[in-house]
Amino acid sequence: MDTDKEEFLREFGADYGYPNGPKTIDEIRATEFKRLDGLVYLDHAGATLYSELQMEAVFKDLATSVYGNPHSQSDYSSTTCGIMKEARQQVLDYFNASPKDYKCIFTSGATAALKLVGEAFPWSHQSSFMYTMENHNSVLGIREYALGQGAAAFAIDIEETLHHVASRSTVVPVRVSQHQIQRRSEARFLEKEPTGDTYNLFAFPSECNFSGLRFNLDLVKIIKEDSERILEGSPICNGRWMVLIDAAKGCSTNPLDLSKHPADFVVVSFYKLFGYPTGLGALIARNDAAKLLKKAYFSGGTVAASIADIDFVKRREEVEELFEDGTTSFLSIASIRHGFKILNSLTISSISQHTASLTMYVRKTLLALIHDNGASVCTVYGSDSLKVSCHEWGPIVSFNLRRPDGSWFGYREVEKLASLSGIQLRTGCFCNPGACAKYLGLSHSDLLSNVEAGHVCWDDYDVVNGKPTGAVRVSFGYMSTYEDAKKFIDFVRGSFVSLPNQIGCGYHFRERSIPFPDKDKKWFAGFMAILVMLIPYMSHHSYSRVELILPKFLIGMKHLLGCTYNSKAFCVFWVPEGSGSRLLAGSFYLNSITIYPIKSCAGFSTESWPLSNTGIGHCLRYDREWILKSLTGEILTQKKVPEMCLIGTSIDLHQGILFVESPRCKERLQISLESESYNGSGEEICIRGQRYEGQGYNNEVNSWFSHALGQPCCLLRCSMSTSYYLNKSGSVGMCRDGQSRLNFSNEAQFLLISKESVSDLNNRISSNAKKGSSGVPVEVSPMRFRPNLVISGGEPYAEDGWRNLKIGDNYFTSLGGCNRCQMINLVNKAGQVKKSNEPLATLASYRRVKILFGLLLRYEIGDGVEQEPESLLQVGQKIHPNSF
């Protein structure tokens, strides 16, 4: 046992690993989770994992039993009804709820249970829907039902009173901070306002799925019994308050006791508890609260009688039968007993202690991480200093990471690097916008600005205007181990912590291509001496950017310094604004041109190719002018359909034909470039906020592509781009070409790659393989990055510092680096698409402002210069960086 684990066990050994259980954690992992060998799974808040022992029991049950439809009257149907009755009781027992007081209504998930409450709740104009800021979107969605029926809705923050007088009461005093009241047009609700009692609904989670904070369950009694004092001064505190608890996350390690905290409604999702089954949840409702729900729709199983041709229906009286529409998922319901058996064998208290020990270890370790300059690495969201009404932490740690200069690492970068290291975690806002905004300090203005900049859930815009838009979350389950936590901590240390022996200088810092040999150390010492002498001069200038330069006068000093100059060694150097000579090392030439007619399919290289003037910008003619779309409307890309890289393309400009071929198709497809080849149907397409008008093709063309990909799809050609937006994110290297977009490109019309940069990358991959840090070395071609333009000459990564460039008589502006994803790890080997960790893993080890590789470009027309209708790019043309 290593010393780190020994130290961990000294602190947490009494709680970690089920020391008094039927199996230790090591035995559990070895016998029930063999599939996790080599994998670290840390997204149990999203979905925990099912046990192999559990699934064996489920399969044996289904393979040896016959379950009939519970709405039938056969013997096997009666068996099913008996199993369902037992399952309902198991759910109530888990929450210590008496069947005299509560009923268990099975739903398709926690979201469906919340939706049921929202649509059936007795809202009125006098009603209020109150909810904590820390709530899942599925809870916030209830707001639509409330506002739609004329009720008020508002969010609150809850703080425990810090200095309250000790008393015999076990209820902790709280203070409520109310946000603005939301209400829609009132006039149309007043005429049909029902008479009778007013009912209000308060919703909160037992555990915040963003931060892991567990809310004080005393809130149930406080709101139900003392709402007037809590909401003192509020104009909407009349009527009876009912309480809804979202326990989907919290009940996996800390189920609430409904005998002590009698909430009216509790929702649960079973895959959050024990991994399987998915698509099954429950609403646990107090009997008196359930009777207040008014359900409009009726279905099979919910009625005692109905008449088809007159307005007559008699509904069933039992709560479960009344609210479970149609045939329930009875096979899934029969399976939950095997999941409960696993939890009960370990005991919930032991599971809670086990996961808490891992959570505290990770939280403390992350908070202790510092860079070599003393700056903190990690900001953990939620701490003991927060005055939030909670008693303890759930098994969640949410955080963001900072660079030594205080700027943020994007959470998507963390997620990509973690995936390459075999670590599965989650990033974003976790469908909890209130908690996300609260902990990240995002104002309404920030949130709206982010949306206007194009940011939506699940995208790559992780830092906008210098602020994170989400966080990184790790969460633990009953089968998580110290080794999982340790591997994660080691990953953070190795990937994001700046150590004293590491050298960095600004965002464009790159390690030397080749370490200095002894004979070059003297040269480097001389270089540094001259650099020190230049510092006073540099301090009187403003610096616009970082550039990679090799001052030519230093080359001439090689004899003076008595050593040989190593052209592969370079340094980061600040260049004053307005300085005349850039002194860039070497000359650059256009090495190849590649066109990709169909988005995400293979392209073809050519010696020369025309640039088309689209009216709002230039692009390579026919580049990414076609896309493939599934019959459901999804745009197909290699990320989801890797086989697209097997589809080859070429264009004959003289014949006016696009040729397409695939190893799965015997015949080569020929598509005319003229408009008469369309089938006449057009449709609007929206990709990454850009709207296009596309033209479709006939069944013969679509059938060819469907056969090539092994799934139904159709081909569309871009005929018009009616609108565009300019991204305002301000994120480093994440500029979009919003001014000249026409074809189906993602971020820019042109992507440039340097052969020298690719060569350096290959050297690093080979070096890592020799050191044993990666597998068999691979040779990466520039084409792996799907560039339009490949250049040669100069130093590796010289392109990082270019603001603009000239190729022949054509001018381009740099839009920043291209943020790489795992698509570059796909490679076509003998007609088979293979996936590995390279080259993304090696890029991630040293390209650390996101994982940028390659340069995004936009074509520019010089002021006062009349451009020809069509320009031409040719292989061999000289490239002039920073020429305008």
Side-chain angles (χ1 to χ4, degrees):
M1 184 183 300
D2 61 42
T3 55
D4 288 340
K5 187 169 185 178
E6 288 178 351
E7 183 178 346
F8 168 81
L9 291 177
R10 277 196 295 272
E11 183 172 1
F12 301 107
D15 296 328
Y16 172 78
Y18 313 106
N20 301 315
K23 289 183 181 180
T24 66
I25 183 60
D26 292 335
E27 291 172 332
I28 291 172
R29 283 292 287 264
T31 59
E32 300 183 35
F33 293 91
K34 296 185 289 291
R35 66 189 187 277
L36 289 182
D37 185 31
L39 174 68
V40 175
Y41 184 85
L42 297 176
D43 188 24
H44 296 274
T48 198
L49 300 175
Y50 52 80
S51 157
E52 291 158 23
L53 184 66
Q54 170 192 351
M55 297 309 296
E56 288 171 4
V58 170
F59 179 76
K60 182 179 179 180
D61 183 11
L62 297 179
T64 57
S65 303
V66 177
Y67 295 111
N69 189 316
H71 294 164
S72 300
Q73 303 302 310
S74 68
D75 291 341
Y76 293 121
S77 298
S78 297
T79 300
T80 302
C81 291
I83 291 292
M84 291 180 60
K85 184 177 180 180
E86 291 176 12
R88 295 187 204 277
Q89 187 59 51
Q90 278 188 304
V91 175
L92 294 179
D93 289 344
Y94 190 73
F95 292 95
N96 198 22
S98 169
K100 295 180 181 179
D101 300 320
Y102 286 91
K103 292 293 185 290
C104 171
I105 303 166
F106 286 116
T107 63
S108 64
T111 295
L114 292 165
K115 182 173 182 287
L116 191 159
V117 173
E119 65 186 4
F121 194 81
W123 303 109
S124 70
H125 178 66
Q126 280 84 31
S127 296
S128 295
F129 175 47
M130 179 172 70
Y131 52 92
T132 57
M133 280 291 287
E134 298 92 337
N135 259 307
H136 196 279
N137 270 327
S138 296
V139 175
L140 300 186
I142 295 175
R143 183 176 62 194
E144 294 300 301
Y145 290 110
L147 294 175
Q149 294 298 316
F154 58 95
I156 61 171
D157 291 306
I158 299 176
E159 300 177 358
E160 290 185 357
T161 303
L162 297 181
H163 304 292
H164 60 276
V165 179
S167 67
R168 294 180 181 179
S169 174
T170 59
V171 177
V172 178
V174 299
R175 182 170 62 246
V176 167
S177 175
Q178 182 177 311
H179 291 248
Q180 66 184 36
I181 297 174
Q182 310 155 59
R183 193 188 286 276
R184 291 178 184 164
S185 178
E186 303 178 16
R188 65 188 180 95
F189 301 108
L190 296 178
E191 297 178 0
K192 53 183 181 180
E193 187 65 29
T195 58
D197 295 333
T198 296
Y199 296 97
N200 308 298
L201 183 64
F202 170 57
F204 73 98
S206 60
E207 180 184 313
C208 175
N209 76 321
F210 186 96
S211 66
L213 286 172
R214 286 177 176 159
F215 279 78
N216 186 347
L217 297 178
D218 287 343
L219 285 170
V220 176
K221 289 185 178 179
I222 292 172
I223 296 299
K224 289 171 73 73
E225 300 174 3
D226 201 17
S227 59
E228 290 188 10
R229 183 187 64 80
I230 295 299
L231 298 173
E232 185 179 0
S234 174
I236 46 176
C237 59
N238 299 318
R240 175 182 169 186
W241 279 95
M242 310 185 79
V243 177
L244 163 67
I245 298 179
D246 176 8
K249 169 61 189 76
C251 69
S252 62
T253 55
N254 190 38
L256 56 152
D257 184 341
L258 288 176
S259 68
K260 297 179 180 178
H261 309 288
D264 297 286
F265 307 103
V266 177
V267 301
V268 61
S269 192
F270 293 106
Y271 76 94
K272 302 270 189 177
L273 280 172
F274 31 70
Y276 180 89
T278 58
L280 182 68
L283 170 65
I284 302 166
R286 281 186 64 86
N287 294 337
D288 56 345
K291 292 176 182 178
L292 295 174
L293 299 180
K294 305 300 180 183
K295 186 169 176 282
Y297 177 77
F298 68 87
S299 65
T302 65
V303 295
S306 66
I307 300 178
D309 58 345
I310 65 172
D311 183 12
F312 174 82
V313 60
K314 179 176 175 60
R315 299 174 188 266
R316 292 190 179 274
E317 295 183 359
E318 291 296 324
V319 170
E320 301 97 331
E321 294 176 334
L322 178 61
F323 288 102
E324 290 175 353
D325 289 319
T327 301
T328 55
S329 184
F330 57 89
L331 294 181
S332 294
I333 293 171
S335 299
I336 67 175
R337 55 181 170 160
H338 304 294
F340 278 120
K341 184 177 180 180
I342 297 286
L343 300 186
N344 293 337
S345 68
L346 295 173
T347 74
I348 288 299
S349 60
S350 295
I351 291 173
S352 182
Q353 291 169 359
H354 171 77
T355 54
S357 66
L358 295 171
T359 305
M360 185 58 66
Y361 165 68
V362 169
R363 181 181 294 272
K364 289 173 61 176
T365 308
L366 288 177
L367 287 171
L369 294 177
I370 59 172
H371 290 293
D372 61 322
N373 65 354
S376 178
V377 173
C378 189
T379 296
V380 177
Y381 298 112
S383 67
D384 294 330
S385 63
L386 289 178
K387 294 177 288 184
V388 180
S389 181
C390 66
H391 282 164
E392 54 187 11
W393 302 105
I396 284 176
V397 182
S398 288
F399 62 93
N400 272 309
L401 300 171
R402 289 183 183 269
R403 298 185 179 87
D405 64 0
S407 62
W408 298 99
F409 286 106
Y411 57 77
R412 284 287 289 126
E413 179 186 358
V414 179
E415 185 175 31
K416 283 191 284 189
L417 297 183
S419 179
L420 290 171
S421 299
I423 300 172
Q424 309 303 309
L425 43 75
R426 186 162 176 183
T427 63
C429 276
F430 326 122
C431 299
N432 196 326
C436 186
K438 182 175 181 176
Y439 287 110
L440 300 181
L442 299 174
S443 65
H444 290 165
S445 176
D446 292 329
L447 297 173
L448 293 173
S449 177
N450 292 350
V451 173
E452 290 174 1
H455 172 56
V456 294
C457 295
W458 304 343
D459 67 14
D460 287 340
Y461 292 88
D462 47 16
V463 179
V464 177
N465 295 324
K467 292 183 178 181
T469 60
V472 183
R473 184 184 73 187
V474 296
S475 50
F476 300 97
Y478 75 81
M479 74 298 296
S480 297
T481 64
Y482 163 80
E483 286 72 23
D484 293 335
K486 181 62 164 57
K487 185 173 180 180
F488 167 71
I489 290 296
D490 289 345
F491 156 72
V492 173
R493 278 200 182 104
S495 301
F496 300 99
V497 180
S498 175
L499 301 176
N501 61 344
Q502 294 177 335
I503 302 173
C505 188
Y507 288 139
H508 291 270
F509 169 71
R510 302 287 176 256
E511 293 178 355
R512 297 187 298 274
S513 302
I514 300 175
F516 283 107
D518 290 339
K519 64 180 181 179
D520 281 352
K521 289 181 180 178
K522 190 175 180 181
W523 182 92
F524 182 68
F527 177 88
M528 293 304 296
I530 295 173
L531 184 60
V532 170
M533 289 189 291
L534 289 174
I535 289 176
Y537 165 77
M538 294 165 61
S539 64
H540 293 292
H541 295 76
S542 64
Y543 304 108
S544 59
R545 61 195 170 87
V546 176
E547 280 194 272
L548 302 174
I549 67 169
L550 287 171
K552 293 181 179 178
F553 72 92
L554 287 178
I555 300 175
M557 296 188 66
K558 61 182 180 180
H559 300 295
L560 176 63
L561 296 173
C563 66
T564 302
Y565 168 71
N566 182 350
S567 64
K568 290 293 184 181
F570 62 92
C571 175
V572 175
F573 198 76
W574 291 99
V575 178
E577 278 187 4
S579 60
S581 175
R582 304 294 188 224
L583 294 177
L584 287 162
S587 297
F588 302 89
Y589 295 90
L590 185 57
N591 185 266
S592 71
I593 303 168
T594 305
I595 316 300
Y596 304 90
I598 305 174
K599 182 178 176 67
S600 260
C601 293
F604 66 94
S605 296
T606 179
E607 290 295 309
S608 64
W609 198 256
L611 293 167
S612 293
N613 187 348
T614 64
I616 57 172
H618 283 62
C619 63
L620 289 163
R621 184 187 284 189
Y622 304 125
D623 185 56
R624 289 163 293 184
E625 199 162 306
W626 288 264
I627 59 167
L628 290 168
K629 183 170 70 73
S630 73
L631 298 188
T632 61
E634 180 184 20
I635 304 303
L636 302 182
T637 67
Q638 281 190 39
K639 289 182 180 180
K640 297 181 179 178
V641 189
E643 293 79 11
M644 292 183 73
C645 72
L646 301 177
I647 296 179
T649 59
S650 62
I651 289 177
D652 189 316
L653 292 176
H654 298 293
Q655 296 185 57
I657 294 177
L658 166 64
F659 296 97
V660 192
E661 56 188 4
S662 165
R664 295 179 177 177
C665 300
K666 294 181 180 179
E667 300 294 329
R668 185 168 68 157
L669 184 65
Q670 299 184 29
I671 301 174
S672 172
L673 300 178
E674 301 301 324
S675 58
E676 65 265 15
S677 61
Y678 304 147
N679 66 1
S681 66
E683 61 179 277
E684 189 176 79
I685 312 161
C686 185
I687 304 176
R688 298 172 71 97
Q690 176 81 13
R691 294 187 182 276
Y692 301 88
E693 187 175 310
Q695 293 293 331
Y697 287 84
N698 58 36
N699 289 335
E700 180 182 355
V701 171
N702 294 333
S703 296
W704 190 96
F705 281 103
S706 298
H707 182 67
L709 293 182
Q711 63 174 282
C713 62
C714 59
L715 182 70
L716 291 174
R717 183 179 185 180
C718 178
S719 61
M720 185 180 297
S721 178
T722 57
S723 63
Y724 61 87
Y725 65 82
L726 178 61
N727 182 275
K728 304 175 183 178
S729 71
S731 300
V732 177
M734 287 300 293
C735 306
R736 274 198 185 174
D737 187 2
Q739 296 179 346
S740 61
R741 293 189 60 181
L742 181 64
N743 56 19
F744 294 119
S745 57
N746 282 344
E747 294 181 294
Q749 300 286 15
F750 304 89
L751 173 61
L752 177 148
I753 291 288
S754 161
K755 284 188 68 176
E756 275 63 35
S757 298
V758 174
S759 177
D760 178 75
L761 170 61
N762 280 318
N763 289 339
R764 294 173 186 272
I765 293 174
S766 178
S767 176
N768 290 341
K770 291 176 182 177
K771 294 175 183 177
S773 58
S774 63
V776 178
V778 295
E779 184 74 17
V780 175
S781 163
M783 292 301 105
R784 184 79 73 90
F785 302 94
R786 296 180 63 82
N788 296 113
L789 310 174
V790 177
I791 65 169
S792 60
E795 294 294 325
Y797 316 108
E799 67 275 12
D800 286 355
W802 295 353
R803 296 190 306 267
N804 54 65
L805 64 148
K806 178 184 177 185
I807 306 177
D809 294 327
N810 302 291
Y811 294 85
F812 300 85
T813 293
S814 168
L815 299 175
C818 182
N819 190 18
R820 310 317 308 209
C821 65
Q822 296 209 24
M823 186 169 155
I824 64 174
N825 287 346
L826 300 175
V827 60
N828 178 4
K829 288 186 176 180
Q832 297 291 321
V833 182
K834 303 292 184 180
K835 183 178 179 181
S836 69
N837 280 350
E838 296 295 355
L840 192 61
T842 296
L843 278 174
S845 69
Y846 71 106
R847 303 288 286 183
R848 300 317 317 277
V849 184
K850 298 186 179 291
I851 308 176
L852 304 180
F853 193 78
L855 202 61
L856 301 171
L857 301 175
R858 180 179 65 231
Y859 188 91
E860 297 289 351
I861 298 177
D863 294 338
V865 178
E866 299 231 352
Q867 293 288 331
E868 294 293 327
E870 204 173 80
S871 300
L872 196 69
L873 286 179
Q874 290 184 316
V875 170
Q877 286 178 323
K878 191 170 184 179
I879 295 172
H880 304 276
N882 301 318
S883 57
F884 64 96

